[in-house]
Amino acid sequence: MTSISEDSDKEKMRSVSVDLNNDASLVIDIPDALCERDKVKFTVHTKTTLSSFQKPEFSVPRQHEDFIWLHDTIVETEEYAGFIIPPAPPKPDFEGPREKMHKLGEGESSMTKEEYAKMKQELEAEYLAVFKKTVQVHEVFLQRLSSHPMFRKDRNFQIFLEYDQDLSVRRKNAKEMFGGFFKNMVKSADEVLISGVKEVDEFFEQEKNFLLDYSIKIKDATAKAEKMTRSHKIADDYNHISGALNNTAADNNTAFKKHLEKCAEVFEKLRKVEDRMASDQELKLTELLRYYTRDIQAAKDLLYRRARALADYENSNKALDKARLKGKDVAQAEENQKQCLQKFDKLSESGKKELTSFKARRVVAFRKNLIEMTELEIKHAKNSVSLLQGSIEILKSN
Amino acid sequence: MAASSERSPPPFPDSEEPELLEDSDEGADAFTGTSISEMDSPSPDSTRPPKDIFNEPPEDIFSDPLSNINSEPQKKVDTKIPSPSSDEAVDLFSEPLDDDSEVMSSPEVQNPMPDLLNEPVEAPKSDVLGEPPVHKNAARQQDFFEDPPKGSNNSSSSVKKAVSAELFGDDEDEEDLFKETPKVVTKKPQPSGPPVDVFTEVKSDVKVKPQVKDDPTDLFTEEALTAPAQKPPASSSSSSRTNGVHSEEQDLFSEATVELSLDSPLNDRKKKDAVKPSLSAPAASVASSSSKAPSKTLEELEEEESEDKFDLNISVTNPEKVGDGMNAYMAYKVSTQTSLTMFRSKTFTVRRRFSDFLGLYEKLSEKHSQNGYIVPPPPEKSILGMTKVKVGKEDPSSAEFVERRRAALERYLQRVVSHPSLLQDPDVREFLEKEELPRAVSTQALSGAGFLKMLNKATDAVSKMTIKMNEQDVWFDEKIQDVENEEQHMRKLHVMVESLVNHRKELSGNTAVFAKSVAMLGSSEDNTALSRALSQLAEVEDRIEQLHQEQASNDFFTFSELLADYIRLLGAVKGCFDQRMKAWQRWQDAENMLQKKREAEAKLLWANKPDKLQQAKDEIAEWEAKVTQYEREFERISATVRKEVIRFDKEKARDFKRQIVKYLESLLNSQQQLIKYWEAFLPEAKAIA
């Protein structure tokens, strides 16, 4: 069981949320979360001045599945088709640290107490970091919704925020899971089909090309960044080296011992710095890329919906032509064609707005994160430098 | 040590103790050089009787180990042993020693080590034996002995007297002899009952007390333990050559001790009376010697410090492939820069191939490792690595291999020449100076010689397992264990550092991939500033990749290779211990044989067969000589190994410190670079709009 509460650290953790909570009329955060086995229970805290809520401030317990439910209902809502729907938070994944914890338990006998304690501490820190990150992405999801002029008024969203019982949303059963999978297949096939539809708007044509390209690149960059941060095991090695040095020193009683101990100390300190470096890189860089991989997918989904609408409109045009030719059901076809056109126009209009704001949001987020990461890198490197300088001096002096 | 203790008769200790104390005191004075007055009471006894005995018999002793000689050595042994028996005596003893050590250190420190080699080992023996007696006559020695007492007296003279009384009381219980000579108490060295216990007690006591002081004390204790008998001769020798080479002294010292101890058993049975007068002299010498031991260590330390200033710079550079195909080999330029006069010129350069380095090691190891020297091992052969080089692939791994080997060879040579004894070896000089070296043939891994070597190693390993050495020397006992542990820790550490190297390389590779990916992302980005920032980020990541790579090679060359070197060196240290064990085994075997011969003689006596008796006696004499020789060898190798190990430890501490500092500096450097890179990137990130 792990539980975190809001602390100063959290501000830093909120890597992706950029100016989302600037509207004071609906402020949402997750001050607390509880992890039980696979389930994470988030406490969703809301402060609002909107009259649609019964109380100005309230907290409700929510699980990851509730978030997914909320996301799905929004996606399925026809009238939101013209918006970029905030990507659903990924499922909490504690497999990494848990597996390591398991390995640690197995290897307990083969290492010294200090080493074990240090490893455990490290793992707990890692676990906590994953936990915090999980809370953060869930929070960001809600904040994106709350900061959107339409989504914030969504009925389901308000229920999600306000209903003080368990939502106890039904888990997707196997059929639905398969249905979802099937839908995705159809969608992909459809995407290919309608890609042949001639784009009428240059803006969308550009956006489409950009997003397609960008999504491939960012996916790749994310994978590479993940790989890079994963291979940042230097801290672990430092830890082992420090332990081994201490062991070597323990059996010694010459001047040698002092050097070894000092060296072990340096490595231990470096380990901490290196650890922070790695986790900050993960948080500021990898997490940013990850989020925008999802967000770009959401933007692509918007383009798909619009393209679908365009295809529908063209089909309705054809149908109308056919109807006119046959002189049959012309009114119905006209009606249908009108509706399609309306829908398409609406989608195009809101889509344009959404995509433009998305671009701005992305640039701001990248800027913020890159600056923060750079500053942290500099900070950590400076820490290391002063640490090393001090140690070298001490070593040299004796 | 063990042998001496067993052999020496129990009673001696008591009688000797007083002497030791007095002697030690004297020794202390000698160093301080304060007053002669106190000397008088103890000195006459000690000095005089020894003179007679020693002067006359020295030759005899050597010539006839069995008869006269034996008696003398015994005395010495006895004296030593008894002293420790009583705790109080021990205390006194220890105190003087400490004083001595401090005092002693200053004068002796200046002596240079190199002399050791020059002088033959045998010389010391004669000197030692001959000298002690002579010295007493000689004014010098007298001063020596006389002086020491003062120092000790100053510190604890009053105490001693009181103690001596007590001691005597204790002694009395055990022996009658003491009663007889209250004054001279020390002088009476006659062996009687329970020496062994006394001896052991002494050891422990001595150790504990001296240990308060760091290095010198340890040495002191060790020496005392290992070769109590040695001390007298050593002191005498040292005294005679105040300016002489220390190393020699040590050798002499060890030899002398050996002889003494050997003699002791015989002595016990024989003429005790004659021994008595002489005893005082040995005791005195013991004291002085004990004082010396610490001083020597100090000297050694200083000597080693001074080695740094050794003006001998060796570098191995320009690895060059010679020849083609599988007959190709790498030749290295070995450049030496020195102002040492033993070399013909100040700078010279030779070309050597890897097998020459191995050949040098073979030669050195053959000559020196059996004497207990730690011969630095060269880097291992690597058939795989070399084959790659031979095949001529210019890939980074073979370049790394060559560089790694070059650096290892350089460190190897530097270690060889920094060893004062090995530097004197003609083969080393030849290696450094001579244009053409005969090709080293026995170094090929797959050659017949290589096979023989492997076979030898295997038999060695087997014999090592079968030898059950009953370690009497606590210092060695601990040290062997320490080295064993240290090697294991080092191996572990080495594995860790290797994995650090690998992880850093992996990180470097992944960073490079990420950099490329970010560059692509930047090119796709439609916001100009962000696109620019991303491509800048890619560049930063590229540089960081370089940084990681450099750091990985620093991890490897500065840290990992250091550990690899020391794992090898610790192996060499263990080899020294094995050599010592072998010497011990040889001695024990001889001892057993001697025992058998004696039993045979006893049987002959019983059976009353005078005709064969003479032959048996001859055999006994022969084996006694062998035992004497082997024990001496054992003592000598013990002393050498200990000296070597101490030197090794110092060298190691210094080496590690230097390398660790160097390594941390490399880390420091990369962090500083990192700061630079990120600081250059920061404005780019801020420029995103």
Side-chain angles (χ1 to χ4, degrees):
Chain A
M1 274 218 195
T2 319
S3 131
I4 57 155
S5 33
E6 188 145 23
D7 49 15
S8 58
D9 222 22
K10 194 133 174 236
E11 269 327 295
K12 216 191 76 190
M13 297 288 301
R14 206 169 287 162
S15 63
V16 191
S17 65
V18 182
D19 303 330
L20 287 178
N21 257 339
N22 48 4
D23 183 359
S25 63
L26 181 62
V27 180
I28 303 169
D29 64 346
I30 301 180
D32 194 29
L34 218 67
C35 182
E36 295 175 46
R37 295 228 178 77
D38 279 349
K39 280 185 197 139
V40 183
K41 282 190 173 168
F42 304 93
T43 304
V44 178
H45 171 252
T46 312
K47 247 171 126 175
T48 181
T49 55
L50 297 181
S51 55
S52 53
F53 292 100
Q54 284 170 351
K55 279 185 277 179
E57 189 171 353
F58 40 84
S59 292
V60 291
R62 291 293 175 256
Q63 294 182 24
H64 171 71
E65 285 73 16
D66 301 333
F67 287 80
I68 299 301
W69 166 80
L70 180 59
H71 178 258
D72 288 348
T73 59
I74 291 173
V75 169
E76 281 157 17
T77 309
E78 192 67 18
E79 55 179 304
Y80 298 147
F83 306 124
I84 295 176
I85 295 160
K91 193 170 163 36
D93 180 15
F94 297 108
E95 272 316 300
R98 198 170 282 144
E99 204 173 290
K100 271 197 199 163
M101 198 75 94
H102 189 64
K103 263 191 211 156
L104 183 67
E106 281 175 345
E108 187 176 353
S109 54
S110 66
M111 52 184 120
T112 65
K113 250 188 183 160
E114 295 84 41
E115 247 177 303
Y116 179 74
K118 253 197 278 176
M119 291 279 285
K120 207 175 149 200
Q121 204 186 344
E122 215 170 87
L123 259 180
E124 278 166 2
E126 191 183 329
Y127 188 75
L128 201 66
V130 174
F131 190 77
K132 280 181 174 175
K133 220 168 59 191
T134 306
V135 170
Q136 187 208 345
V137 288
H138 285 78
E139 196 180 60
V140 166
F141 171 67
L142 295 181
Q143 285 168 350
R144 284 269 312 267
L145 291 178
S146 75
S147 64
H148 194 280
M150 293 299 291
F151 295 140
R152 72 188 308 177
K153 292 181 205 138
D154 182 74
R155 186 69 208 128
N156 286 324
F157 182 45
Q158 296 203 349
I159 290 171
F160 177 91
L161 292 177
E162 211 174 15
Y163 184 62
D164 62 354
Q165 306 289 308
D166 260 352
L167 277 180
S168 63
V169 293
R170 196 170 48 85
R171 305 275 174 277
K172 285 181 182 166
N173 60 30
K175 197 178 154 198
E176 277 169 325
M177 293 281 273
F178 181 75
F181 178 69
F182 185 69
K183 231 166 72 186
N184 268 334
M185 292 280 287
V186 171
K187 189 183 131 202
S188 316
D190 201 31
E191 256 173 349
V192 176
L193 279 178
I194 61 178
S195 67
V197 177
K198 198 173 171 294
E199 184 56 70
V200 288
D201 190 327
E202 205 183 316
F203 172 82
F204 282 103
E205 180 66 29
Q206 261 182 16
E207 263 326 285
K208 193 177 86 181
N209 290 338
F210 165 71
L211 282 178
L212 279 177
D213 180 40
Y214 203 75
S215 100
I216 292 167
K217 299 285 168 56
I218 202 169
K219 248 185 217 163
D220 182 59
T222 308
K224 301 291 156 57
E226 270 170 1
K227 208 173 161 197
M228 182 174 74
T229 31
R230 251 206 318 274
S231 66
H232 217 287
K233 298 173 198 144
I234 308 292
D236 281 357
D237 293 318
Y238 282 173
N239 181 22
H240 292 308
I241 290 170
S242 164
L245 279 169
N246 267 327
N247 284 343
T248 316
D251 280 356
N252 238 292
N253 41 20
T254 51
F256 194 43
K257 185 189 179 83
K258 268 190 300 182
H259 301 156
L260 291 176
E261 277 172 347
K262 184 73 212 159
C263 193
E265 194 190 319
V266 175
F267 274 112
E268 171 60 22
K269 285 181 184 156
L270 280 179
R271 173 186 77 87
K272 285 185 184 142
V273 179
E274 202 70 40
D275 237 358
R276 293 302 296 258
M277 227 181 226
S279 73
D280 283 338
Q281 197 179 49
E282 149 86 16
L283 199 67
K284 294 294 169 197
L285 190 63
T286 317
E287 196 56 25
L288 171 82
L289 292 171
R290 242 181 242 145
Y291 188 81
Y292 275 91
T293 310
R294 291 200 305 271
D295 216 5
I296 279 172
Q297 188 55 48
K300 268 169 67 188
D301 286 349
L302 166 65
L303 285 182
Y304 163 69
R305 288 192 296 267
R306 186 186 153 278
R308 182 72 255 170
L310 178 59
D312 285 349
Y313 169 61
E314 283 183 355
N315 285 341
S316 71
N317 269 343
K318 279 179 202 156
L320 181 59
D321 288 348
K322 236 188 228 166
R324 279 189 180 138
L325 215 64
K326 287 182 184 168
K328 217 167 82 184
D329 296 333
V330 174
Q332 196 190 341
E334 264 178 354
E335 183 60 22
N336 190 21
Q337 188 251 11
K338 217 170 114 188
Q339 268 182 11
C340 282
L341 178 62
Q342 252 178 10
K343 189 183 167 196
F344 173 69
D345 283 344
K346 200 179 135 206
L347 277 182
S348 296
E349 190 196 345
S350 69
K352 206 174 261 184
K353 245 193 277 171
E354 282 278 308
L355 286 172
T356 314
S357 82
F358 165 76
K359 194 170 283 183
R361 201 171 63 229
R362 180 165 49 81
V363 171
V364 172
F366 267 85
R367 177 175 194 269
K368 176 171 173 278
N369 278 279
L370 286 180
I371 289 174
E372 279 175 0
M373 182 187 75
T374 308
E375 279 167 350
L376 284 169
E377 290 275 0
I378 292 171
K379 190 184 110 192
H380 293 320
K382 279 187 173 158
N383 275 346
S384 303
V385 164
S386 67
L387 184 75
L388 286 165
Q389 271 169 344
S391 309
I392 289 171
E393 247 154 59
I394 291 173
L395 267 175
K396 272 184 178 165
S397 68
N398 61 37
Chain B
M1 299 292 305
S4 68
S5 67
E6 290 169 9
R7 293 170 190 171
S8 64
F12 288 101
D14 295 348
S15 64
E16 286 180 1
E17 285 178 358
E19 280 198 353
L20 287 175
L21 295 176
E22 289 179 359
D23 294 339
S24 64
D25 296 350
E26 288 180 359
D29 289 357
F31 288 104
T32 53
T34 49
S35 70
I36 312 167
S37 63
E38 298 210 354
M39 290 294 299
D40 298 348
S41 61
S43 66
D45 296 338
S46 62
T47 54
R48 267 191 236 151
K51 286 179 188 176
D52 297 349
I53 296 171
F54 283 114
N55 297 343
E56 294 175 2
E59 296 174 1
D60 295 351
I61 294 173
F62 287 108
S63 57
D64 308 344
L66 296 175
S67 61
N68 296 339
I69 298 169
N70 292 338
S71 65
E72 286 186 0
Q74 274 193 343
K75 297 166 188 176
K76 293 175 184 178
V77 175
D78 294 348
T79 58
K80 290 176 182 178
I81 295 165
S83 66
S85 64
S86 67
D87 294 354
E88 295 176 14
V90 175
D91 290 354
L92 294 175
F93 186 53
S94 63
E95 289 180 16
L97 293 175
D98 292 351
D99 295 349
D100 294 350
S101 65
E102 291 178 1
V103 177
M104 292 291 295
S105 62
S106 59
E108 289 188 353
V109 175
Q110 292 148 349
N111 301 339
M113 296 275 300
D115 294 355
L116 284 176
L117 293 177
N118 299 338
E119 297 194 10
V121 180
E122 294 173 1
K125 290 182 186 176
S126 63
D127 289 346
V128 174
L129 293 175
E131 284 184 10
V134 176
H135 288 304
K136 284 158 190 176
N137 298 338
R140 252 203 224 162
Q141 274 211 345
Q142 268 206 349
D143 290 345
F144 208 169
F145 287 112
E146 289 174 2
D147 292 346
K150 274 195 179 182
S152 60
N153 291 340
N154 296 341
S155 60
S156 60
S157 62
S158 60
V159 179
K160 286 178 182 176
K161 287 171 186 173
V163 175
S164 67
E166 289 183 352
L167 291 175
F168 286 117
D170 296 345
D171 296 334
E172 284 176 3
D173 294 341
E174 293 181 355
E175 286 192 25
D176 295 347
L177 294 174
F178 288 109
K179 293 173 184 175
E180 293 179 2
T181 56
K183 269 192 181 181
V184 190
V185 178
T186 57
K187 295 167 186 176
K188 297 179 182 177
Q190 294 179 352
S192 53
V196 176
D197 293 354
V198 175
F199 184 54
T200 55
E201 285 182 43
V202 176
K203 284 182 182 179
S204 61
D205 292 348
V206 175
K207 285 178 182 179
V208 176
K209 289 171 184 176
Q211 280 177 353
V212 178
K213 297 181 177 185
D214 298 341
D215 298 348
T217 50
D218 287 355
L219 294 176
F220 176 56
T221 56
E222 292 173 7
E223 292 197 9
L225 295 175
T226 53
Q230 296 174 352
K231 288 170 185 176
S235 64
S236 64
S237 66
S238 63
S239 64
S240 63
R241 315 164 186 176
T242 47
N243 296 334
V245 181
H246 295 284
S247 59
E248 276 192 0
E249 284 184 1
Q250 265 212 346
D251 289 354
L252 294 175
F253 181 50
S254 62
E255 292 180 9
T257 58
V258 175
E259 289 193 359
L260 292 174
S261 60
L262 291 174
D263 294 354
S264 65
L266 296 176
N267 293 338
D268 294 352
R269 294 166 194 166
K270 298 168 185 177
K271 316 158 185 179
K272 293 174 183 177
D273 298 348
V275 175
K276 289 179 184 178
S278 66
L279 289 177
S280 63
S285 64
V286 171
S288 65
S289 68
S290 65
S291 64
K292 269 199 175 181
S295 69
K296 275 184 192 170
T297 59
L298 284 181
E299 283 183 59
E300 281 179 3
L301 300 189
E302 298 208 5
E303 278 179 341
E304 284 177 58
E305 298 295 335
S306 68
E307 270 169 40
D308 259 352
K309 296 162 205 156
F310 242 40
D311 189 18
L312 184 61
N313 245 327
I314 293 191
S315 56
V316 176
T317 50
N318 294 15
E320 217 175 69
K321 200 167 122 180
V322 179
D324 279 316
M326 285 317 283
N327 287 324
Y329 63 90
M330 296 300 293
Y332 303 85
K333 203 166 111 186
V334 178
S335 323
T336 313
Q337 239 190 345
T338 183
S339 63
L340 293 183
T341 50
M342 55 184 271
F343 293 102
R344 275 184 300 229
S345 56
K346 287 201 187 307
T347 57
F348 39 90
T349 303
V350 288
R351 284 202 83 74
R352 295 282 179 260
R353 54 184 292 183
F354 182 64
S355 56
D356 294 334
F357 289 83
L358 293 185
L360 175 65
Y361 170 73
E362 294 298 332
K363 283 183 203 157
L364 292 177
S365 149
E366 215 168 275
K367 272 187 276 186
H368 297 285
S369 65
Q370 62 187 4
N371 293 328
Y373 284 110
I374 299 173
V375 180
E380 280 110 4
K381 281 194 90 82
S382 163
I383 295 174
L384 183 73
M386 199 53 211
T387 309
K388 258 190 175 171
V389 173
K390 280 176 180 168
V391 170
K393 269 196 202 152
E394 289 295 325
D395 68 341
S397 79
S398 78
E400 191 184 293
F401 170 79
V402 170
E403 165 58 16
R404 177 183 174 185
R405 175 167 275 183
R406 183 207 63 76
L409 289 173
E410 189 173 280
R411 288 194 306 272
Y412 161 66
L413 277 190
Q414 280 163 352
R415 285 208 174 90
V416 169
V417 299
S418 74
H419 191 295
S421 312
L422 295 183
L423 176 61
Q424 302 296 326
D425 192 286
D427 281 327
V428 173
R429 264 185 280 180
E430 195 176 67
F431 182 88
L432 294 176
E433 275 185 323
K434 207 171 167 192
E435 268 312 313
E436 289 290 324
L437 267 193
R439 176 105 163 77
V441 280
S442 61
T443 58
Q444 275 150 339
L446 296 174
S447 67
F451 181 70
L452 274 182
K453 237 182 283 165
M454 270 168 58
L455 212 62
N456 278 337
K457 267 186 195 155
T459 48
D460 270 8
V462 172
S463 70
K464 210 164 83 185
M465 274 188 284
T466 53
I467 297 179
K468 286 276 177 292
M469 182 166 181
N470 182 13
E471 187 59 75
Q472 297 285 333
D473 189 325
V474 182
W475 186 88
F476 274 108
D477 202 25
E478 282 175 1
K479 206 72 205 172
I480 289 170
Q481 199 51 48
D482 283 354
V483 168
E484 196 69 46
N485 288 340
E486 192 168 308
E487 196 195 7
Q488 275 183 9
H489 288 312
M490 288 264 191
R491 279 186 194 284
K492 251 196 198 159
L493 189 56
H494 188 236
V495 171
M496 303 294 178
V497 177
E498 294 269 85
S499 94
L500 172 67
V501 173
N502 289 335
H503 284 154
R504 186 113 55 193
K505 279 184 186 161
E506 192 187 324
L507 178 60
S508 165
N510 288 336
T511 307
V513 173
F514 175 67
K516 273 199 199 88
S517 186
V518 167
M520 296 289 286
L521 184 67
S523 70
S524 295
E525 175 62 58
D526 59 355
N527 180 296
T528 344
L530 181 53
S531 167
R532 192 182 138 76
L534 284 176
S535 56
Q536 291 290 327
L537 178 65
E539 258 174 56
V540 171
E541 294 289 352
D542 255 338
R543 287 198 197 111
I544 290 175
E545 182 242 318
Q546 283 298 316
L547 214 54
H548 285 320
Q549 203 148 17
E550 280 161 29
Q551 189 54 49
S553 80
N554 276 323
D555 289 343
F556 182 74
F557 283 111
T558 323
F559 202 4
S560 176
E561 284 287 89
L562 171 77
L563 294 171
D565 275 5
Y566 271 93
I567 289 168
R568 273 202 300 272
L569 280 165
L570 285 173
V573 173
K574 287 203 311 197
C576 284
F577 289 142
D578 292 346
Q579 291 291 347
R580 177 173 166 271
M581 196 161 76
K582 271 196 217 154
W584 181 83
Q585 184 63 36
R586 215 164 30 231
W587 170 34
Q588 291 305 305
D589 288 347
E591 196 86 66
N592 287 339
M593 190 53 98
L594 178 60
Q595 197 59 40
K596 272 182 203 150
K597 298 288 177 202
R598 285 213 178 104
E599 274 162 19
E601 183 202 20
K603 269 182 200 157
L604 287 172
L605 272 174
W606 186 255
N608 203 7
K609 288 180 183 166
D611 48 328
K612 287 184 183 170
L613 206 54
Q614 190 50 46
Q615 191 200 340
K617 278 196 165 128
D618 288 347
E619 276 182 359
I620 288 174
E622 180 196 330
W623 278 101
E624 273 172 346
K626 274 188 186 160
V627 166
T628 310
Q629 187 200 337
Y630 290 153
E631 183 176 1
R632 191 188 307 144
E633 273 168 16
F634 172 69
E635 298 293 352
R636 188 175 51 210
I637 201 174
S638 294
T640 312
V641 168
R642 188 164 47 217
K643 207 181 84 184
E644 283 284 289
V645 170
I646 288 162
R647 183 183 172 280
F648 170 77
D649 276 345
K650 288 215 95 56
E651 198 93 325
K652 181 180 67 186
R654 215 175 37 202
D655 224 19
F656 262 79
K657 183 178 157 185
R658 198 174 47 218
Q659 288 298 101
I660 284 172
V661 167
K662 198 172 154 201
Y663 178 67
L664 293 182
E665 277 168 350
S666 77
L667 281 176
L668 177 67
N669 185 40
S670 40
Q671 293 295 330
Q672 278 166 339
Q673 288 294 320
L674 206 58
I675 294 178
K676 248 200 246 163
Y677 295 155
W678 285 117
E679 275 178 348
F681 177 69
L682 193 54
E684 295 289 344
K686 283 185 173 160
I688 302 171

